Amino acid sequence: MRQAFDQPRLISEVLRADLSYSDLRRRAARVDSLRQKFIEFRDRCRVTPFLSVVFLVVLVYWLADAAVGVPWWAGITVLVWPIGYCGVKEFRDADNRRNFVEQMRTAVCGVLWAACAADTEMRLGWWALVKLKKTMDPITRREMTVLLGPDHESLLVARSHDGLIDAGNSRYWISTQVEATLQRKLDQMSGGAIAICGPRGVGKSTLLKKACQGRLPSAEPHFHTIVQTPANYRPEEFLLSLFQSVCRDYLALYGRRPRAPFLFRSRARAAQRPRRLYYSARRWAQLLAGLGLVVLAVQREVRDLADLVYQSAHPAAAGWAVGLWEWTLTAWQEHPVVSRLVLLVAGALLLWWADPRSWLTRRPVQRLVHDCHNYLNLLQHIQSVGTSTSLGASARALTLGFGRTSGSSSRTFTYPELVWEFRSLLSRISAIEREDNWKVFVGIDELDRLGSSEQTRAFLAEIKAIFDVPRVYFVLSVSEDIGSAFIRRGLPTRDVTDSSLEDVLVIEARTLEESRTLLQIRVPGFTDPFVALVHALSGGLPRDLIRYTRKVTESHRRTRQPGLAVLAREVLWEEAAQALAGFRELLARHDDSAATAQTVHDLHTLITLIREADSSRANPELEQRILHLAHAVPPPHPEGTDTVGEPAQRWEEFSCYLYFIGTLLEVFARRNFAARKEAYTGTDKAPADLQRLAEARLEMTVSPHSARKILEQFRVHWALRPATLPRIVPQPGTDAEPRRSAARGPS
């Protein structure tokens, strides 16, 4: 490794991989330039007694003033006479004047050089200790890969999987190009609603949190609030919850807690009180007994140490205190101008730190905080006020009385009033926060969980009135249907998204390189073949990418087998068994007749074979069974049923997924993966790229037929053999021959 990193190619690659190194180079060049100027100025200087005399006179005056005190007129006499005499003698000559200028330039250049050198050294130390390691890690791993050979990546040696346990932790977030795109869109807007759309699990919620929390590139401080949108949420209830969330978050921004009315709380039952008292008394007794024993054990040593410290430190401290007090009185009496000037500067600094101007400018903030308290009480509680007046008189034979009772209770806002009050509050918050160059963000997450796209459109139509608050950014996460509807806004059909949203950002699935970067941060040591396997299974969706990575690491811990082929069989057979079980249950529930009994039984047999198979050894026959089922005709259907209905559609999806699993088994569950990848992939073989497997997985959600074509092209370029249908998969029963003859070909 030392020899490899001595190569100029690697040195240049490491240094140029970090942009901060270029800044260090510029700073180092400036330090060298200042040092060269300092040397040039110093060489042009001559040693003269003037500066030495000035230094000595000032030093003697300072010592004399500190020791006995020197009046101001004596100080002026002492300073002016030697400095003036030497100065006149020094500056009478033109060469001496030029020499003094050179000395001053040397001093200034020396100070600049020292400051710049110190700053550059600190930056260099931080870069060498922190940045350089992060830059060298991927390059070091790559060079180790080259030195160890191509086949070592087929072993899983994960050093840590903390990134899989705490998947939502922000320290595992990585920056992508889509974040820069979102930042540019926000910079071009003065407010409004922008939607983030994409398939589920692509990272919409993470990007929404980054945008609202100010973690995008070149982002500014934000005031933000984020709310979730569960299913079946009425717009009135949602806006009421959002109103309260904004009030709470704004109070928390200024360190306030919502004021709540006093509530009667239930007391502990009488039967539990003796038990609680017993445990409390026992714990307090243990604590007091332990403290008493510790004090009894160390009390003598502690007392001796305290006496020693007091006897040694008290005289010195008293002497210093008395000397300081006497010096302060002397300075105040003998040097009133200097003393008052020091007090004036200290008082001015205290006033500046207190910032009295903020007391006036913060009054709107205080009023807004007070209004947030009032809004929370009004939205959370029902208040009632009652008054009663009575007047009466009585005598022995006559009684006369008057009584009057009145009451009033508050009511909740109507929906138009709620919208108006919420817009007013957000406008005031935005106006105040803009004074400090802050932005206001409101994140509305999980809108794609409202059910159908029609429900989402109706929801947007109800709450779109709050989206046009000046200088307030609303960031929404929506489904792909809403994004596509906004993109089609130029067509004759007009959608509610056109009037609700300012822009839509579409997030695509991660590429293979982006998935590798994500997993290298979360699971260090996760090599490229395993990244390609989980990337293909997940389709590049980060949520599924983490799920399948957990499956691989869990299989690795369970089987204690680090090989790629073994772990690929374990994970892919489990996926195939789950798919077979799910389709078998769907088929039996939809049509439990004699026509489908044989198919249901065959699926059960194949599931049993998969679960009993040994993943440590190759099983070509089982893989051929899976491929045969992927090419088989749909199961027979009873007469009078639709041949192109839901069962047929589900069969197409199921068979395409089995075809996908069988392809992955032939790619990853074989030996010499690195050699085969190098032989079949390249810049001129795009259909054979492993990224195509992830594209096929995503294409299944759109069209199983299109996904099957992608898989067929991939298999042709990887030289994968077609399924041998009749020989390996005999179908029991009287209808075996007709069903074999009706089987599909590989195309």
Side-chain angles (χ1 to χ4, degrees):
M1 287 297 295
R2 291 181 181 274
Q3 293 178 357
F5 271 83
D6 278 341
Q7 300 177 13
R9 173 183 60 85
L10 286 180
I11 295 174
S12 300
E13 184 177 358
V14 170
L15 297 181
R16 293 175 181 175
D18 190 3
L19 297 178
S20 59
Y21 177 73
S22 300
D23 180 62
L24 281 175
R25 287 288 300 271
R26 290 191 296 269
R27 291 178 180 274
R30 186 163 180 259
V31 170
D32 293 339
S33 175
L34 289 174
R35 181 175 179 273
Q36 187 64 30
K37 290 181 179 179
F38 172 73
I39 294 174
E40 293 176 0
F41 294 154
R42 186 188 63 186
D43 292 340
R44 291 201 294 262
C45 293
R46 292 183 293 106
V47 179
T48 59
F50 175 69
L51 293 179
S52 302
V53 169
V54 171
F55 176 75
L56 289 175
V57 169
V58 172
L59 180 62
V60 169
Y61 171 76
W62 180 76
L63 292 175
D65 184 64
V68 299
V70 179
W72 62 270
W73 54 269
I76 294 176
T77 304
V78 171
L79 292 177
V80 167
W81 178 77
I83 295 177
Y85 174 77
C86 295
V88 171
K89 185 178 179 181
E90 177 77 14
F91 291 102
R92 184 180 299 174
D93 189 2
D95 292 338
N96 291 340
R97 290 197 296 270
R98 286 193 297 269
N99 181 58
F100 180 78
V101 173
E102 293 296 335
Q103 287 176 338
M104 293 297 103
R105 295 175 65 183
T106 303
V108 172
C109 191
V111 171
L112 293 177
W113 168 57
C116 187
D119 179 66
T120 305
E121 286 293 335
M122 293 176 60
R123 292 176 182 271
L124 177 62
W126 178 79
W127 175 80
L129 295 175
V130 180
K131 296 284 288 184
L132 183 59
K133 181 180 182 299
K134 294 182 180 180
T135 307
M136 285 184 62
D137 277 349
I139 301 177
T140 305
R141 286 194 294 267
R142 186 195 66 197
E143 293 303 316
M144 289 175 64
T145 301
V146 174
L147 293 176
L148 293 175
D151 213 19
H152 80 284
E153 289 190 342
S154 298
L155 299 178
L156 179 60
V157 188
R159 296 188 294 272
S160 170
H161 61 283
D162 294 339
L164 302 179
I165 298 175
D166 193 7
N169 196 328
S170 59
R171 71 189 182 99
Y172 297 113
W173 292 352
I174 60 174
S175 299
T176 57
Q177 187 62 34
V178 70
E179 296 180 11
T181 304
L182 178 58
Q183 183 63 52
R184 289 194 297 269
K185 289 180 178 293
L186 293 174
D187 291 340
Q188 296 173 359
M189 298 167 52
S190 62
I194 182 170
I196 303 173
C197 73
R200 291 188 177 181
V202 78
K204 300 189 295 292
S205 299
T206 301
L207 183 59
L208 182 143
K209 292 177 182 178
K210 282 187 175 183
C212 293
Q213 295 174 3
R215 299 191 179 187
L216 295 179
S218 66
E220 300 175 353
H222 295 164
F223 163 68
H224 70 278
T225 183
I226 301 176
V227 294
Q228 307 291 329
T229 310
N232 299 326
Y233 217 157
R234 292 192 304 170
E236 297 86 354
E237 296 175 351
F238 168 76
L239 187 54
L240 188 65
S241 175
L242 180 60
F243 204 154
Q244 298 178 31
S245 179
V246 169
C247 292
R248 291 194 190 94
D249 291 340
Y250 195 73
L251 291 175
L253 180 65
Y254 288 96
R256 306 294 182 87
R257 297 180 60 184
R259 291 194 296 264
F262 176 76
L263 299 176
F264 290 98
R265 300 183 181 273
S266 61
R267 298 180 179 180
R269 290 182 295 180
Q272 296 179 352
R273 290 177 184 174
R275 187 176 181 181
R276 293 177 58 188
L277 290 175
Y278 167 72
Y279 282 112
S280 300
R282 189 181 68 178
R283 292 175 61 187
W284 276 104
Q286 292 174 354
L287 177 63
L288 294 176
L291 289 176
L293 293 176
V294 171
V295 170
L296 184 63
V298 301
Q299 55 92 19
R300 182 175 180 180
E301 287 76 9
V302 172
R303 185 174 64 249
D304 294 342
L305 180 61
D307 292 340
L308 179 63
V309 171
Y310 178 79
Q311 293 174 3
S312 61
H314 181 265
W320 278 101
V322 172
L324 180 61
W325 176 251
E326 292 177 353
W327 181 85
T328 304
L329 290 178
T330 303
W332 178 262
Q333 295 173 358
E334 297 184 359
H335 306 283
V337 177
V338 177
S339 303
R340 285 167 174 77
L341 182 61
V342 171
L343 292 180
L344 179 62
V345 172
L349 288 176
L350 290 176
L351 289 175
W352 180 69
W353 286 333
D355 194 11
R357 186 175 59 88
S358 63
W359 301 346
L360 299 177
T361 58
R362 286 299 175 180
R363 285 186 177 180
V365 175
Q366 299 296 334
R367 287 196 297 268
L368 194 54
V369 168
H370 181 71
D371 290 344
C372 287
H373 283 296
N374 291 337
Y375 277 128
L376 278 178
N377 288 328
L378 187 60
L379 296 174
Q380 291 178 339
H381 311 287
I382 297 178
Q383 304 176 6
S384 60
V385 179
T387 59
S388 177
T389 304
S390 61
L391 177 64
S394 63
R396 291 182 178 181
L398 179 65
T399 301
L400 179 64
F402 298 95
R404 180 177 180 274
T405 302
S406 63
S408 63
S409 62
S410 63
R411 64 172 179 84
T412 58
F413 289 132
T414 62
Y415 189 62
E417 292 174 344
L418 193 64
V419 170
W420 188 89
E421 294 288 346
F422 181 72
R423 286 170 52 88
S424 175
L425 177 66
L426 271 186
S427 301
R428 293 167 59 193
I429 291 176
S430 176
I432 291 177
E433 299 305 321
R434 280 284 174 173
E435 295 178 358
D436 296 332
N437 294 325
W438 277 43
K439 295 181 179 179
V440 178
F441 274 76
V442 178
I444 304 176
D445 199 6
E446 306 294 352
L447 272 177
D448 52 351
R449 291 188 180 181
L450 283 176
S452 63
S453 58
E454 287 75 14
Q455 290 177 316
T456 306
R457 289 185 176 89
F459 184 83
L460 288 176
E462 291 288 340
I463 67 169
K464 68 179 183 179
I466 66 174
F467 288 163
D468 60 343
V469 180
R471 299 186 178 277
V472 177
Y473 298 87
F474 290 85
V475 184
L476 295 74
S477 63
V478 298
S479 62
E480 294 178 287
D481 297 338
I482 301 300
S484 60
F486 180 81
I487 294 173
R488 297 193 304 267
R489 64 190 181 279
L491 299 178
T493 57
R494 185 176 178 181
D495 195 81
V496 68
T497 57
D498 185 17
S499 57
S500 303
L501 306 176
E502 295 289 335
D503 203 348
V504 168
L505 177 65
V506 181
I507 306 181
E508 302 291 342
R510 301 289 177 93
T511 62
L512 182 58
E513 187 62 32
E514 291 174 342
S515 297
R516 181 183 297 112
T517 304
L518 185 147
L519 291 180
Q520 284 296 337
I521 293 178
R522 293 180 177 268
V523 194
F526 211 73
T527 53
D528 290 349
F530 293 95
V531 172
L533 172 63
V534 297
H535 177 73
L537 282 169
S538 64
L541 301 179
R543 183 186 300 168
D544 291 338
L545 190 71
I546 295 175
R547 288 175 180 172
Y548 284 112
T549 306
R550 288 191 184 124
K551 282 191 174 183
V552 172
T553 55
E554 190 272 332
S555 300
H556 171 52
R557 291 175 177 270
R558 185 179 68 251
T559 60
R560 302 293 182 183
Q561 296 289 336
L564 173 65
V566 177
L567 294 177
R569 291 190 202 101
E570 185 74 22
V571 174
L572 293 174
W573 283 353
E574 182 181 355
E575 286 293 310
Q578 292 176 357
L580 290 168
F583 181 75
R584 179 172 175 269
E585 181 181 355
L586 176 65
L587 184 62
R589 185 172 65 248
H590 190 273
D591 181 19
D592 189 12
S593 61
T596 59
Q598 185 62 45
T599 303
V600 174
H601 177 70
D602 293 344
L603 293 178
H604 172 72
T605 303
L606 186 54
I607 292 173
T608 304
L609 291 175
I610 291 176
R611 291 175 175 171
E612 293 177 353
D614 184 9
S615 61
S616 62
R617 295 180 297 176
N619 195 334
E621 186 172 336
L622 186 57
E623 295 175 8
Q624 286 298 313
R625 284 180 177 271
I626 294 175
L627 284 176
H628 166 73
L629 189 59
H631 288 87
V633 296
H637 57 278
E639 296 182 0
T641 59
D642 189 5
T643 59
V644 294
E646 182 181 358
Q649 178 66 24
R650 294 293 179 263
W651 174 263
E652 291 296 337
E653 297 172 357
F654 165 71
S655 61
C656 182
Y657 188 69
L658 285 186
Y659 194 31
F660 173 72
I661 294 295
T663 304
L664 293 185
L665 282 169
E666 294 191 68
V667 172
F668 294 100
R670 297 286 189 272
R671 299 178 60 186
N672 301 324
F673 171 80
R676 290 184 290 114
K677 176 186 174 184
E678 184 177 359
Y680 296 131
T681 60
T683 55
D684 56 339
K685 301 177 182 178
D689 191 359
L690 294 175
Q691 174 65 26
R692 301 285 286 177
L693 293 174
E695 295 174 3
R697 179 65 183 90
L698 288 178
E699 192 68 14
M700 292 180 196
T701 61
V702 179
S703 171
H705 303 283
S706 176
R708 187 181 289 270
K709 290 185 178 298
I710 296 176
L711 292 173
E712 289 171 354
Q713 294 176 2
F714 181 85
R715 292 177 64 88
V716 168
H717 285 81
W718 271 70
L720 301 180
R721 59 182 179 177
T724 54
L725 307 182
R727 181 174 61 84
I728 295 182
V729 191
Q731 297 288 339
T734 57
D735 59 340
E737 292 301 326
R739 291 184 66 181
R740 283 184 199 155
S741 61
R744 295 187 200 165
S747 60

